[in-house]
């Protein structure tokens, strides 16, 4: 395919593999956003409403700090999962682009 040629966007949008690619990415982002948002809201709620509980210490570190660190770990985990899936999405996009 010539890099200057404009693909047929209507035909591309009807391609089953393109639709599967879009659906897979949308599902991943929606689930990831829901999990991260839910986790963050739960953490913030615990900080606001369970202060005594979050002040407890494990290994000399408060649960509030462990919770904050776990949010950082969750961010790294989600980035790793996204990077893993991105390879699959790239292969799907290449197959679609070759047919376009």
């Amino acid at each position: 395919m010539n890099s200057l040629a404009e693909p047929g966007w209507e035909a591309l949008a009807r391609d089953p593999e393109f639709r599967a690619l879009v659906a897979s990415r949308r599902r991943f982002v929606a689930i990831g956003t829901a999990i991260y948002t839910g986790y963050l809201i739960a953490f913030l709620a615990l900080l606001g409403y369970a202060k005594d509980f979050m002040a407890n210490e494990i290994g000399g570190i408060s649960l509030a700090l462990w919770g904050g660190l776990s949010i950082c770990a969750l961010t790294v985990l989600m980035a790793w999962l996204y990077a893993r899936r991105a390879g699959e999405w790239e292969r799907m996009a290449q197959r679609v682009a070759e047919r376009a």
Side-chain angles (χ1 to χ4, degrees), residues 29-41:
V29 169
I31 292 170
T33 300
I35 289 170
Y36 191 84
T37 302
Y39 192 87
L40 185 60
I41 289 171

Side-chain angles (χ1 to χ4, degrees), residues 10-31:
E10 293 81 19
L12 186 62
R14 288 189 301 271
D15 185 323
E17 193 163 6
F18 178 75
R19 295 177 88 140
L21 168 64
V22 170
S24 175
R25 289 183 65 187
R26 182 175 290 146
R27 187 172 39 255
F28 181 90
V29 169
I31 292 170

Side-chain angles (χ1 to χ4, degrees), residues 3 9 21 23 26 31 34 38 46 59 63 71 73 82 85-86 93 96 100:
S3 64
W9 294 111
L21 168 64
R26 182 175 290 146
I31 292 170
L46 285 171
L63 289 177
I71 289 174
Y82 184 88
R85 294 292 302 271
V96 169

Side-chain angles (χ1 to χ4, degrees), residues 22-83:
V22 170
S24 175
R25 289 183 65 187
R26 182 175 290 146
R27 187 172 39 255
F28 181 90
V29 169
I31 292 170
T33 300
I35 289 170
Y36 191 84
T37 302
Y39 192 87
L40 185 60
I41 289 171
F43 173 66
L44 293 175
L46 285 171
L47 286 176
Y49 295 109
K51 294 177 185 176
D52 293 336
F53 174 72
M54 295 301 277
N56 291 329
E57 293 185 358
I58 296 177
I61 300 174
S62 71
L63 289 177
L65 186 55
W66 281 118
L69 293 172
S70 72
I71 289 174
C72 295
L74 180 60
T75 303
V76 171
L77 174 66
M78 291 181 71
W80 177 76
L81 289 172
Y82 184 88

